[in-house]
Amino acid sequence: ERAAADVEAAAEDYLRLFHAENPGAGDPRERLREVRQEIARTGTYTHTPSELVFGARVAWRNSGRCIGRLYWRSLRVRDRRYVTTAEGIAVECVNHLRDAAPARRIRPTITVFPQERPGVPGPRIWNEQLIRYAGYRTADGSVVGDPRYVAFTEMLRGLGWPGGPGSPFDVLPLAISVGEGPPLLSTLPGDAVLEVALSHPVHSWFEELGLRWHAVPVISNMCLEIGGVCYRAAPFNGWYMGTEIGARNLADTDRYDLTPLIARRLGLNTGTDRSLWRDYAMVELNAAVLHSFERAGVTMTDHHTESRHFLMHLEREEKAGRVCPADWSWIVPPMSASATPVFHRYYEDRRMTPNFVHHPDSLERGLGRSCGPGS
Amino acid sequence: ERAAADVEAAAEDYLRLFHAENPGAGDPRERLREVRQEIARTGTYTHTPSELVFGARVAWRNSGRCIGRLYWRSLRVRDRRYVTTAEGIAVECVNHLRDAAPARRIRPTITVFPQERPGVPGPRIWNEQLIRYAGYRTADGSVVGDPRYVAFTEMLRGLGWPGGPGSPFDVLPLAISVGEGPPLLSTLPGDAVLEVALSHPVHSWFEELGLRWHAVPVISNMCLEIGGVCYRAAPFNGWYMGTEIGARNLADTDRYDLTPLIARRLGLNTGTDRSLWRDYAMVELNAAVLHSFERAGVTMTDHHTESRHFLMHLEREEKAGRVCPADWSWIVPPMSASATPVFHRYYEDRRMTPNFVHHPDSLERGLGRSCGPGS
Ligand code: HEM
Ligand code: HEM
């Protein structure tokens, strides 16, 4: 927990930023006085609804790893700071999923649950994302489902989850804790989990592979940090960029590792690196992802479009007189990198607040490596 | 120019390293005494042949941008510190090219020309690489050849080069200067320029595009820095990794920009980013490059093999108790990045000496933006 003096300094910085960028928001000195008093009394303070909305948007604007920031002003903020029970949070996570993708048109959305207060750590969502697939280790050592979540799946089973039907795409239940003690496990209702079955624009055998992915990526274990206040439960989503699914989730050797299978179905020589079978298979897999989302009418962007948009964003930020922090290794797409304009330049990178932060205990819990409530 | 005290400190560091890694090299204290005396007298000092060889190899080992360092101990060092005229240097550059690729088997090689001395800046090779292609701006504003070298080509013409036949692959002459005054221009004899005509393993129309690339990449405008001594003319080569040609030189939009042409020949829809035409075209172009070099019997590596080799190198360096500096954004290949193991980790990066260094005036000269002898 932070010392009150640190909270006060961070609060002052944020409120100055808030009032500078929102000139109609009233007298900053009065608000500062109020906030200082609340910090003196309680060790923290409470954001006004506008401070929360602006703070969440700027946290996105400051996310140096995110290529999708052109749309930062459009972030929809669901203020659910009054929801204090694990059951209530589970319900609001489901509502988030329904609300973020009406009629398959995805809207960037964040739901903010109660903040951390001295002695009251606030709720935690243990899952890395609201929707992710279980990983089951089988008797022969192989994995059915997502290998990334084998330990998390086992941890949930230890906590009482009976497990799913055993398909490669069993949606995990949410694990939500409020204070000490084991988390609430809560199964997502089917209608809240929009998924897209994958087919290929040309190769009809692709559909027979039975692949699918969920439509909405909702990161749920990062901390939204605004002006010295930690919102440890604040799930947020944008829409997918195709490569996240086609070049990473379904392709990484420690995830679904599908390039060897696809290369074999394409008839490529997987016996030598020089045949570029991985490269061919990856492009086909990504073509299938983009094609399938388009066919299903679900919002998705491709890495070429999004790279151009990101450079537009940079230009706008520069015009606004702001530094736009960016981490090259995350901004540059994981395939065909030099074919995108973001590859051919460097960026400034600095930690700026508000922001989204990984706390080590959340990282561990999200991968099933710890099952304590953490710090 | 460096102060004698800086040179002495850098010399001491290097000689300590040299003697630590070469225990049979005699008494370091005696050598240090000698070197200090020479610095006091001349402002610099002269490496022994073994110090030069080891220094060049360690400069490679310390090149944080180079994925090919597994072979650092095998670097062949051609000591040509006694060649002092521009004509002599031109001849030795040609000899380097012949010597580096006997029977198309490429051998990592460096040729070291005279060092910088107080008041005597030493020779300069103006070209970025010993073999590169001219770029000619045509009346309609388009470019024939390599757009990167349009200004360099114009500069050479201003210095008296009549220009080549006007093909997209006219080899540029060398520009070599010793001291003040205009450089010597020296045409490379055809037999020193090994080139590979590009064809595709499947698409026969590819050959009709008339594409080619040179076989040996010899960087010629970086400074080899060893223990406070600058070798400004020290061209070095490895063999190509296919992506350098297929994903960069022939594909970058500000280089040969061939992906639109290839995508059209493949029948892809270039009207939308989502068809992934750039990605498909890039893979086919790279397949052609690897295929053509293989067919021609010329040494070349692919990015998958080289990524594995680089991780072996890291492991070896770690076992030897050394830090291996590496720059993620250069090490990770420019296509199919996440399909290579080097993508999935971070690296330490620090400037270490000996090393290869870009001096600003060399960068400018190599792109035809300046035609002074520089600092
Ligand atoms: C609107 C569409 C969006 C797109 C296309 C997009 C795209 C991306 C991509 C491709 C990444 C890299 C992911 C990876 O490699 O694992 C990323 C990371 C990130 N994005 Fe976005 N994003 C969008 C919306 C958002 C929103 C709404 C927020 C927050 C309000 C956000 C915050 C972040 C953060 C914090 C990361 C880093 C995650 C981490 O550290 O693991 N993004 N984004
Ligand atoms: C043996 C085969 C070699 C391979 C496959 C290899 C591969 C590479 C690659 C792919 C790059 C990045 C190039 C780019 O993106 O522009 C690179 C950069 C570099 N390599 Fe190597 N390399 C090899 C040999 C060497 C040798 C022999 C040296 C020096 C003795 C060397 C020193 C460097 C340096 C200094 C850079 C950075 C160049 C710059 O800053 O522009 N490499 N190498």
Side-chain angles (χ1 to χ4, degrees), chain A residues 56-57 59-60 63 65-69 71 75 108-110 219 222 236-241 243-244 248 301 306 330-331 334 355-358:
Chain A
R57 289 180 178 157
W60 184 10
S63 294
R65 295 173 162 185
C66 180
I67 195 175
R69 285 177 280 165
Y71 321 100
L75 181 67
T109 303
I110 186 169
I219 295 182
M222 290 185 81
F236 59 85
N237 74 276
W239 48 79
Y240 263 119
M241 184 162 92
T243 54
E244 296 179 76
R248 306 294 316 277
T301 186
E306 213 50 35
W330 279 70
I331 294 293
N355 215 324
F356 294 100
V357 178
H358 286 287

mmCIF file of all heavy atoms in Angstrom, chain A residues 56-57 59-60 63 65-69 71 75 108-110 219 222 236-241 243-244 248 301 306 330-331 334 355-358, ligand 1:
data_model
loop_
_atom_site.group_PDB
_atom_site.id
_atom_site.type_symbol
_atom_site.label_atom_id
_atom_site.label_comp_id
_atom_site.label_asym_id
_atom_site.label_seq_id
_atom_site.Cartn_x
_atom_site.Cartn_y
_atom_site.Cartn_z
ATOM 1 N N ALA A 56 -9.645 6.612 -17.289
ATOM 2 C CA ALA A 56 -9.604 5.328 -17.994
ATOM 3 C C ALA A 56 -9.195 5.549 -19.451
ATOM 4 O O ALA A 56 -8.399 4.782 -20.012
ATOM 5 C CB ALA A 56 -10.968 4.653 -17.922
ATOM 6 N N ARG A 57 -9.714 6.621 -20.048
ATOM 7 C CA ARG A 57 -9.356 6.894 -21.447
ATOM 8 C C ARG A 57 -7.872 7.235 -21.583
ATOM 9 O O ARG A 57 -7.192 6.785 -22.512
ATOM 10 C CB ARG A 57 -10.228 8.043 -21.986
ATOM 11 C CG ARG A 57 -11.656 7.593 -22.184
ATOM 12 C CD ARG A 57 -12.551 8.702 -22.706
ATOM 13 N NE ARG A 57 -13.901 8.166 -22.918
ATOM 14 C CZ ARG A 57 -15.011 8.899 -22.951
ATOM 15 N NH1 ARG A 57 -14.944 10.216 -22.801
ATOM 16 N NH2 ARG A 57 -16.180 8.320 -23.149
ATOM 17 N N ALA A 59 -5.553 6.291 -19.557
ATOM 18 C CA ALA A 59 -4.800 5.051 -19.305
ATOM 19 C C ALA A 59 -4.612 4.289 -20.614
ATOM 20 O O ALA A 59 -3.537 3.750 -20.894
ATOM 21 C CB ALA A 59 -5.523 4.184 -18.279
ATOM 22 N N TRP A 60 -5.640 4.245 -21.422
ATOM 23 C CA TRP A 60 -5.524 3.606 -22.745
ATOM 24 C C TRP A 60 -4.546 4.400 -23.615
ATOM 25 O O TRP A 60 -3.624 3.833 -24.211
ATOM 26 C CB TRP A 60 -6.903 3.510 -23.393
ATOM 27 C CG TRP A 60 -6.933 2.789 -24.716
ATOM 28 C CD1 TRP A 60 -5.932 2.061 -25.299
ATOM 29 C CD2 TRP A 60 -8.039 2.712 -25.617
ATOM 30 N NE1 TRP A 60 -6.348 1.548 -26.500
ATOM 31 C CE2 TRP A 60 -7.634 1.930 -26.724
ATOM 32 C CE3 TRP A 60 -9.342 3.230 -25.599
ATOM 33 C CZ2 TRP A 60 -8.493 1.658 -27.804
ATOM 34 C CZ3 TRP A 60 -10.186 2.957 -26.671
ATOM 35 C CH2 TRP A 60 -9.756 2.180 -27.762
ATOM 36 N N SER A 63 -1.027 3.542 -22.994
ATOM 37 C CA SER A 63 -0.618 2.127 -23.056
ATOM 38 C C SER A 63 0.357 1.918 -24.205
ATOM 39 O O SER A 63 -0.037 1.696 -25.349
ATOM 40 C CB SER A 63 -1.841 1.221 -23.229
ATOM 41 O OG SER A 63 -2.654 1.281 -22.081
ATOM 42 N N ARG A 65 2.046 -0.387 -25.286
ATOM 43 C CA ARG A 65 2.053 -1.638 -26.041
ATOM 44 C C ARG A 65 0.882 -1.751 -26.997
ATOM 45 O O ARG A 65 0.792 -2.731 -27.734
ATOM 46 C CB ARG A 65 1.975 -2.811 -25.068
ATOM 47 C CG ARG A 65 3.175 -2.932 -24.159
ATOM 48 C CD ARG A 65 2.897 -4.017 -23.124
ATOM 49 N NE ARG A 65 4.132 -4.467 -22.502
ATOM 50 C CZ ARG A 65 4.197 -5.473 -21.627
ATOM 51 N NH1 ARG A 65 3.095 -6.117 -21.294
ATOM 52 N NH2 ARG A 65 5.344 -5.840 -21.105
ATOM 53 N N CYS A 66 -0.048 -0.800 -26.971
ATOM 54 C CA CYS A 66 -1.306 -0.944 -27.718
ATOM 55 C C CYS A 66 -1.263 -0.188 -29.038
ATOM 56 O O CYS A 66 -1.082 1.029 -29.079
ATOM 57 C CB CYS A 66 -2.482 -0.464 -26.875
ATOM 58 S SG CYS A 66 -4.070 -0.607 -27.735
ATOM 59 N N ILE A 67 -1.474 -0.924 -30.122
ATOM 60 C CA ILE A 67 -1.473 -0.326 -31.455
ATOM 61 C C ILE A 67 -2.825 0.311 -31.777
ATOM 62 O O ILE A 67 -2.936 1.095 -32.713
ATOM 63 C CB ILE A 67 -1.123 -1.400 -32.518
ATOM 64 C CG1 ILE A 67 -0.749 -0.768 -33.864
ATOM 65 C CG2 ILE A 67 -2.254 -2.412 -32.687
ATOM 66 C CD1 ILE A 67 -0.270 -1.762 -34.911
ATOM 67 N N GLY A 68 -3.869 0.020 -30.961
ATOM 68 C CA GLY A 68 -5.237 0.424 -31.312
ATOM 69 C C GLY A 68 -5.680 1.757 -30.740
ATOM 70 O O GLY A 68 -6.865 2.037 -30.659
ATOM 71 N N ARG A 69 -4.727 2.631 -30.370
ATOM 72 C CA ARG A 69 -5.083 3.800 -29.571
ATOM 73 C C ARG A 69 -5.711 4.971 -30.307
ATOM 74 O O ARG A 69 -6.086 5.962 -29.688
ATOM 75 C CB ARG A 69 -3.845 4.256 -28.785
ATOM 76 C CG ARG A 69 -3.546 3.337 -27.625
ATOM 77 C CD ARG A 69 -2.288 3.756 -26.906
ATOM 78 N NE ARG A 69 -1.076 3.308 -27.592
ATOM 79 C CZ ARG A 69 0.134 3.759 -27.341
ATOM 80 N NH1 ARG A 69 0.299 4.705 -26.444
ATOM 81 N NH2 ARG A 69 1.185 3.277 -27.986
ATOM 82 N N TYR A 71 -8.489 5.276 -31.206
ATOM 83 C CA TYR A 71 -9.873 5.442 -30.765
ATOM 84 C C TYR A 71 -9.988 5.724 -29.269
ATOM 85 O O TYR A 71 -11.039 5.512 -28.679
ATOM 86 C CB TYR A 71 -10.649 4.173 -31.114
ATOM 87 C CG TYR A 71 -10.273 3.593 -32.460
ATOM 88 C CD1 TYR A 71 -9.399 2.520 -32.558
ATOM 89 C CD2 TYR A 71 -10.772 4.160 -33.630
ATOM 90 C CE1 TYR A 71 -9.037 2.010 -33.806
ATOM 91 C CE2 TYR A 71 -10.413 3.658 -34.874
ATOM 92 C CZ TYR A 71 -9.535 2.574 -34.954
ATOM 93 O OH TYR A 71 -9.182 2.078 -36.166
ATOM 94 N N LEU A 75 -13.588 5.331 -25.695
ATOM 95 C CA LEU A 75 -13.745 4.261 -24.697
ATOM 96 C C LEU A 75 -15.007 4.474 -23.872
ATOM 97 O O LEU A 75 -15.234 5.553 -23.318
ATOM 98 C CB LEU A 75 -12.526 4.230 -23.761
ATOM 99 C CG LEU A 75 -12.552 3.142 -22.677
ATOM 100 C CD1 LEU A 75 -12.458 1.746 -23.290
ATOM 101 C CD2 LEU A 75 -11.431 3.360 -21.663
ATOM 102 N N PRO A 108 -15.220 -0.558 -27.798
ATOM 103 C CA PRO A 108 -14.221 -0.512 -26.722
ATOM 104 C C PRO A 108 -14.897 -0.096 -25.410
ATOM 105 O O PRO A 108 -15.550 0.945 -25.357
ATOM 106 C CB PRO A 108 -13.223 0.532 -27.208
ATOM 107 C CG PRO A 108 -13.355 0.516 -28.699
ATOM 108 C CD PRO A 108 -14.815 0.264 -28.950
ATOM 109 N N THR A 109 -14.741 -0.934 -24.394
ATOM 110 C CA THR A 109 -15.503 -0.773 -23.156
ATOM 111 C C THR A 109 -14.643 -1.168 -21.960
ATOM 112 O O THR A 109 -13.840 -2.100 -22.055
ATOM 113 C CB THR A 109 -16.747 -1.696 -23.208
ATOM 114 O OG1 THR A 109 -17.526 -1.390 -24.369
ATOM 115 C CG2 THR A 109 -17.605 -1.559 -21.959
ATOM 116 N N ILE A 110 -14.833 -0.461 -20.857
ATOM 117 C CA ILE A 110 -14.194 -0.877 -19.598
ATOM 118 C C ILE A 110 -15.252 -0.838 -18.497
ATOM 119 O O ILE A 110 -16.124 0.045 -18.498
ATOM 120 C CB ILE A 110 -12.995 0.033 -19.241
ATOM 121 C CG1 ILE A 110 -12.245 -0.493 -18.004
ATOM 122 C CG2 ILE A 110 -13.424 1.480 -19.009
ATOM 123 C CD1 ILE A 110 -10.894 0.208 -17.758
ATOM 124 N N ILE A 219 -9.285 -8.043 -21.394
ATOM 125 C CA ILE A 219 -8.221 -8.234 -20.402
ATOM 126 C C ILE A 219 -8.775 -7.898 -19.022
ATOM 127 O O ILE A 219 -9.358 -6.834 -18.815
ATOM 128 C CB ILE A 219 -7.002 -7.359 -20.739
ATOM 129 C CG1 ILE A 219 -6.388 -7.826 -22.056
ATOM 130 C CG2 ILE A 219 -5.972 -7.422 -19.608
ATOM 131 C CD1 ILE A 219 -5.141 -7.065 -22.478
ATOM 132 N N MET A 222 -5.379 -6.764 -15.328
ATOM 133 C CA MET A 222 -4.477 -5.609 -15.220
ATOM 134 C C MET A 222 -5.115 -4.578 -14.293
ATOM 135 O O MET A 222 -6.337 -4.518 -14.146
ATOM 136 C CB MET A 222 -4.185 -5.002 -16.600
ATOM 137 C CG MET A 222 -3.310 -5.888 -17.473
ATOM 138 S SD MET A 222 -2.845 -5.117 -19.066
ATOM 139 C CE MET A 222 -1.468 -4.059 -18.564
ATOM 140 N N PHE A 236 -11.281 -4.585 -19.521
ATOM 141 C CA PHE A 236 -11.465 -3.700 -20.683
ATOM 142 C C PHE A 236 -11.302 -4.489 -21.966
ATOM 143 O O PHE A 236 -10.575 -5.474 -22.008
ATOM 144 C CB PHE A 236 -10.459 -2.544 -20.636
ATOM 145 C CG PHE A 236 -9.020 -2.969 -20.630
ATOM 146 C CD1 PHE A 236 -8.342 -3.239 -21.822
ATOM 147 C CD2 PHE A 236 -8.323 -3.112 -19.437
ATOM 148 C CE1 PHE A 236 -7.000 -3.633 -21.825
ATOM 149 C CE2 PHE A 236 -6.976 -3.512 -19.437
ATOM 150 C CZ PHE A 236 -6.322 -3.769 -20.621
ATOM 151 N N ASN A 237 -11.978 -4.031 -22.997
ATOM 152 C CA ASN A 237 -11.834 -4.687 -24.302
ATOM 153 C C ASN A 237 -11.788 -3.695 -25.427
ATOM 154 O O ASN A 237 -12.350 -2.595 -25.345
ATOM 155 C CB ASN A 237 -12.998 -5.643 -24.563
ATOM 156 C CG ASN A 237 -14.288 -4.886 -24.902
ATOM 157 O OD1 ASN A 237 -15.006 -4.454 -24.001
ATOM 158 N ND2 ASN A 237 -14.568 -4.707 -26.198
ATOM 159 N N GLY A 238 -11.081 -4.096 -26.492
ATOM 160 C CA GLY A 238 -11.217 -3.480 -27.808
ATOM 161 C C GLY A 238 -11.747 -4.576 -28.709
ATOM 162 O O GLY A 238 -12.442 -5.469 -28.239
ATOM 163 N N TRP A 239 -11.427 -4.497 -29.993
ATOM 164 C CA TRP A 239 -11.696 -5.630 -30.872
ATOM 165 C C TRP A 239 -10.363 -6.264 -31.211
ATOM 166 O O TRP A 239 -9.296 -5.692 -30.951
ATOM 167 C CB TRP A 239 -12.462 -5.203 -32.123
ATOM 168 C CG TRP A 239 -11.894 -3.989 -32.807
ATOM 169 C CD1 TRP A 239 -10.814 -3.931 -33.629
ATOM 170 C CD2 TRP A 239 -12.403 -2.652 -32.707
ATOM 171 N NE1 TRP A 239 -10.610 -2.640 -34.042
ATOM 172 C CE2 TRP A 239 -11.571 -1.834 -33.501
ATOM 173 C CE3 TRP A 239 -13.482 -2.058 -32.036
ATOM 174 C CZ2 TRP A 239 -11.766 -0.458 -33.627
ATOM 175 C CZ3 TRP A 239 -13.681 -0.698 -32.164
ATOM 176 C CH2 TRP A 239 -12.830 0.083 -32.961
ATOM 177 N N TYR A 240 -10.424 -7.448 -31.768
ATOM 178 C CA TYR A 240 -9.190 -8.154 -32.099
ATOM 179 C C TYR A 240 -8.508 -7.583 -33.337
ATOM 180 O O TYR A 240 -9.162 -7.150 -34.286
ATOM 181 C CB TYR A 240 -9.470 -9.633 -32.373
ATOM 182 C CG TYR A 240 -9.232 -10.545 -31.189
ATOM 183 C CD1 TYR A 240 -10.260 -11.296 -30.644
ATOM 184 C CD2 TYR A 240 -7.954 -10.668 -30.639
ATOM 185 C CE1 TYR A 240 -10.037 -12.148 -29.572
ATOM 186 C CE2 TYR A 240 -7.724 -11.506 -29.563
ATOM 187 C CZ TYR A 240 -8.761 -12.247 -29.032
ATOM 188 O OH TYR A 240 -8.531 -13.089 -27.973
ATOM 189 N N MET A 241 -7.180 -7.597 -33.329
ATOM 190 C CA MET A 241 -6.412 -7.509 -34.566
ATOM 191 C C MET A 241 -6.140 -8.976 -34.945
ATOM 192 O O MET A 241 -5.723 -9.776 -34.091
ATOM 193 C CB MET A 241 -5.118 -6.744 -34.311
ATOM 194 C CG MET A 241 -4.279 -6.512 -35.548
ATOM 195 S SD MET A 241 -3.055 -5.183 -35.288
ATOM 196 C CE MET A 241 -1.639 -6.133 -34.724
ATOM 197 N N THR A 243 -3.920 -10.835 -36.210
ATOM 198 C CA THR A 243 -2.677 -11.535 -35.862
ATOM 199 C C THR A 243 -2.644 -12.030 -34.410
ATOM 200 O O THR A 243 -1.941 -12.986 -34.117
ATOM 201 C CB THR A 243 -1.457 -10.614 -36.058
ATOM 202 O OG1 THR A 243 -1.693 -9.409 -35.324
ATOM 203 C CG2 THR A 243 -1.242 -10.284 -37.527
ATOM 204 N N GLU A 244 -3.387 -11.374 -33.511
ATOM 205 C CA GLU A 244 -3.379 -11.840 -32.124
ATOM 206 C C GLU A 244 -3.874 -13.278 -32.049
ATOM 207 O O GLU A 244 -3.394 -14.081 -31.258
ATOM 208 C CB GLU A 244 -4.258 -10.945 -31.244
ATOM 209 C CG GLU A 244 -3.750 -9.514 -31.148
ATOM 210 C CD GLU A 244 -4.695 -8.679 -30.282
ATOM 211 O OE1 GLU A 244 -4.646 -8.824 -29.056
ATOM 212 O OE2 GLU A 244 -5.478 -7.885 -30.837
ATOM 213 N N ARG A 248 -0.506 -15.616 -33.026
ATOM 214 C CA ARG A 248 -0.077 -15.863 -31.648
ATOM 215 C C ARG A 248 -0.920 -16.970 -30.971
ATOM 216 O O ARG A 248 -0.428 -18.053 -30.748
ATOM 217 C CB ARG A 248 -0.133 -14.575 -30.799
ATOM 218 C CG ARG A 248 0.650 -13.376 -31.387
ATOM 219 C CD ARG A 248 2.163 -13.617 -31.433
ATOM 220 N NE ARG A 248 2.669 -14.211 -30.222
ATOM 221 C CZ ARG A 248 2.986 -13.533 -29.110
ATOM 222 N NH1 ARG A 248 2.883 -12.226 -29.094
ATOM 223 N NH2 ARG A 248 3.463 -14.160 -28.040
ATOM 224 N N THR A 301 -9.837 -6.021 -36.921
ATOM 225 C CA THR A 301 -8.962 -5.220 -37.776
ATOM 226 C C THR A 301 -7.804 -6.093 -38.242
ATOM 227 O O THR A 301 -7.534 -7.144 -37.669
ATOM 228 C CB THR A 301 -8.455 -3.979 -37.009
ATOM 229 O OG1 THR A 301 -7.723 -3.138 -37.913
ATOM 230 C CG2 THR A 301 -7.516 -4.374 -35.889
ATOM 231 N N GLU A 306 -4.361 -1.377 -39.133
ATOM 232 C CA GLU A 306 -4.153 -0.864 -37.792
ATOM 233 C C GLU A 306 -2.810 -0.136 -37.677
ATOM 234 O O GLU A 306 -2.674 0.821 -36.906
ATOM 235 C CB GLU A 306 -4.219 -2.019 -36.784
ATOM 236 C CG GLU A 306 -4.781 -1.648 -35.453
ATOM 237 C CD GLU A 306 -6.102 -0.890 -35.524
ATOM 238 O OE1 GLU A 306 -6.923 -1.168 -36.421
ATOM 239 O OE2 GLU A 306 -6.304 -0.001 -34.688
ATOM 240 N N TRP A 330 6.165 -4.401 -29.074
ATOM 241 C CA TRP A 330 4.753 -4.745 -28.965
ATOM 242 C C TRP A 330 3.936 -4.111 -30.073
ATOM 243 O O TRP A 330 2.939 -4.681 -30.529
ATOM 244 C CB TRP A 330 4.186 -4.307 -27.598
ATOM 245 C CG TRP A 330 4.507 -5.269 -26.510
ATOM 246 C CD1 TRP A 330 5.737 -5.488 -25.961
ATOM 247 C CD2 TRP A 330 3.599 -6.170 -25.843
ATOM 248 N NE1 TRP A 330 5.640 -6.461 -24.994
ATOM 249 C CE2 TRP A 330 4.342 -6.881 -24.891
ATOM 250 C CE3 TRP A 330 2.226 -6.418 -25.947
ATOM 251 C CZ2 TRP A 330 3.762 -7.843 -24.053
ATOM 252 C CZ3 TRP A 330 1.649 -7.369 -25.109
ATOM 253 C CH2 TRP A 330 2.413 -8.073 -24.173
ATOM 254 N N ILE A 331 4.310 -2.912 -30.513
ATOM 255 C CA ILE A 331 3.533 -2.221 -31.545
ATOM 256 C C ILE A 331 3.683 -2.923 -32.901
ATOM 257 O O ILE A 331 2.717 -3.087 -33.630
ATOM 258 C CB ILE A 331 3.991 -0.741 -31.667
ATOM 259 C CG1 ILE A 331 3.656 0.032 -30.384
ATOM 260 C CG2 ILE A 331 3.380 -0.071 -32.892
ATOM 261 C CD1 ILE A 331 2.191 0.225 -30.108
ATOM 262 N N PRO A 334 3.340 -9.214 -35.188
ATOM 263 C CA PRO A 334 4.182 -10.406 -35.100
ATOM 264 C C PRO A 334 4.367 -11.156 -36.411
ATOM 265 O O PRO A 334 5.017 -12.187 -36.436
ATOM 266 C CB PRO A 334 3.448 -11.281 -34.070
ATOM 267 C CG PRO A 334 2.011 -10.867 -34.179
ATOM 268 C CD PRO A 334 2.041 -9.401 -34.510
ATOM 269 N N ASN A 355 -2.487 4.632 -16.273
ATOM 270 C CA ASN A 355 -2.073 3.528 -17.126
ATOM 271 C C ASN A 355 -2.670 2.207 -16.640
ATOM 272 O O ASN A 355 -3.285 2.174 -15.572
ATOM 273 C CB ASN A 355 -0.542 3.426 -17.161
ATOM 274 C CG ASN A 355 -0.019 2.977 -18.519
ATOM 275 O OD1 ASN A 355 -0.643 2.156 -19.187
ATOM 276 N ND2 ASN A 355 1.123 3.514 -18.929
ATOM 277 N N PHE A 356 -2.466 1.180 -17.461
ATOM 278 C CA PHE A 356 -2.808 -0.179 -17.058
ATOM 279 C C PHE A 356 -1.509 -0.882 -16.671
ATOM 280 O O PHE A 356 -0.535 -0.820 -17.406
ATOM 281 C CB PHE A 356 -3.504 -0.938 -18.186
ATOM 282 C CG PHE A 356 -4.841 -0.358 -18.524
ATOM 283 C CD1 PHE A 356 -4.999 0.488 -19.613
ATOM 284 C CD2 PHE A 356 -5.949 -0.642 -17.736
ATOM 285 C CE1 PHE A 356 -6.231 1.041 -19.917
ATOM 286 C CE2 PHE A 356 -7.196 -0.090 -18.031
ATOM 287 C CZ PHE A 356 -7.335 0.755 -19.126
ATOM 288 N N VAL A 357 -1.526 -1.517 -15.505
ATOM 289 C CA VAL A 357 -0.295 -2.069 -14.937
ATOM 290 C C VAL A 357 -0.488 -3.545 -14.636
ATOM 291 O O VAL A 357 -1.566 -3.951 -14.200
ATOM 292 C CB VAL A 357 0.027 -1.309 -13.627
ATOM 293 C CG1 VAL A 357 1.263 -1.871 -12.957
ATOM 294 C CG2 VAL A 357 0.189 0.178 -13.901
ATOM 295 N N HIS A 358 0.553 -4.330 -14.905
ATOM 296 C CA HIS A 358 0.555 -5.735 -14.471
ATOM 297 C C HIS A 358 1.122 -5.802 -13.064
ATOM 298 O O HIS A 358 2.292 -5.455 -12.854
ATOM 299 C CB HIS A 358 1.459 -6.582 -15.369
ATOM 300 C CG HIS A 358 0.893 -6.858 -16.728
ATOM 301 N ND1 HIS A 358 -0.133 -7.733 -16.937
ATOM 302 C CD2 HIS A 358 1.227 -6.389 -17.950
ATOM 303 C CE1 HIS A 358 -0.415 -7.794 -18.229
ATOM 304 N NE2 HIS A 358 0.387 -6.983 -18.870
HETATM 305 C C1 HEM C 1 -10.075 -0.862 -30.215
HETATM 306 C C2 HEM C 1 -9.348 -1.858 -30.654
HETATM 307 C C3 HEM C 1 -8.046 -2.276 -30.068
HETATM 308 C C4 HEM C 1 -7.069 -2.886 -30.788
HETATM 309 C C5 HEM C 1 -7.132 -3.255 -32.257
HETATM 310 C C6 HEM C 1 -5.988 -3.115 -29.887
HETATM 311 C C7 HEM C 1 -4.804 -3.780 -30.256
HETATM 312 C C8 HEM C 1 -3.863 -4.224 -29.348
HETATM 313 C C9 HEM C 1 -2.835 -5.184 -29.643
HETATM 314 C C10 HEM C 1 -2.618 -5.871 -31.002
HETATM 315 C C11 HEM C 1 -2.121 -5.367 -28.516
HETATM 316 C C12 HEM C 1 -0.941 -6.315 -28.333
HETATM 317 C C13 HEM C 1 -1.498 -7.580 -27.740
HETATM 318 C C14 HEM C 1 -0.501 -8.690 -27.631
HETATM 319 O O1 HEM C 1 0.448 -8.747 -28.432
HETATM 320 O O2 HEM C 1 -0.675 -9.531 -26.716
HETATM 321 C C15 HEM C 1 -2.683 -4.515 -27.505
HETATM 322 C C16 HEM C 1 -2.198 -4.410 -26.213
HETATM 323 C C17 HEM C 1 -2.782 -3.622 -25.242
HETATM 324 N N1 HEM C 1 -3.898 -2.844 -25.386
HETATM 325 FE FE1 HEM C 1 -5.022 -2.584 -27.043
HETATM 326 N N2 HEM C 1 -6.280 -2.648 -28.652
HETATM 327 C C18 HEM C 1 -7.545 -2.124 -28.703
HETATM 328 C C19 HEM C 1 -8.250 -1.594 -27.621
HETATM 329 C C20 HEM C 1 -7.726 -1.397 -26.351
HETATM 330 C C21 HEM C 1 -8.469 -0.823 -25.257
HETATM 331 C C22 HEM C 1 -9.927 -0.392 -25.303
HETATM 332 C C23 HEM C 1 -7.591 -0.747 -24.202
HETATM 333 C C24 HEM C 1 -7.816 -0.222 -22.809
HETATM 334 C C25 HEM C 1 -8.820 0.600 -22.481
HETATM 335 C C26 HEM C 1 -6.343 -1.305 -24.635
HETATM 336 C C27 HEM C 1 -5.196 -1.420 -23.859
HETATM 337 C C28 HEM C 1 -4.147 -2.250 -24.165
HETATM 338 C C29 HEM C 1 -3.141 -2.635 -23.210
HETATM 339 C C30 HEM C 1 -3.023 -2.189 -21.754
HETATM 340 C C31 HEM C 1 -2.284 -3.522 -23.885
HETATM 341 C C32 HEM C 1 -1.054 -4.249 -23.305
HETATM 342 C C33 HEM C 1 -1.530 -5.567 -22.713
HETATM 343 C C34 HEM C 1 -0.454 -6.305 -21.957
HETATM 344 O O3 HEM C 1 0.457 -5.687 -21.408
HETATM 345 O O4 HEM C 1 -0.548 -7.551 -21.930
HETATM 346 N N3 HEM C 1 -6.453 -1.676 -25.951
HETATM 347 N N4 HEM C 1 -3.744 -3.823 -28.039
#
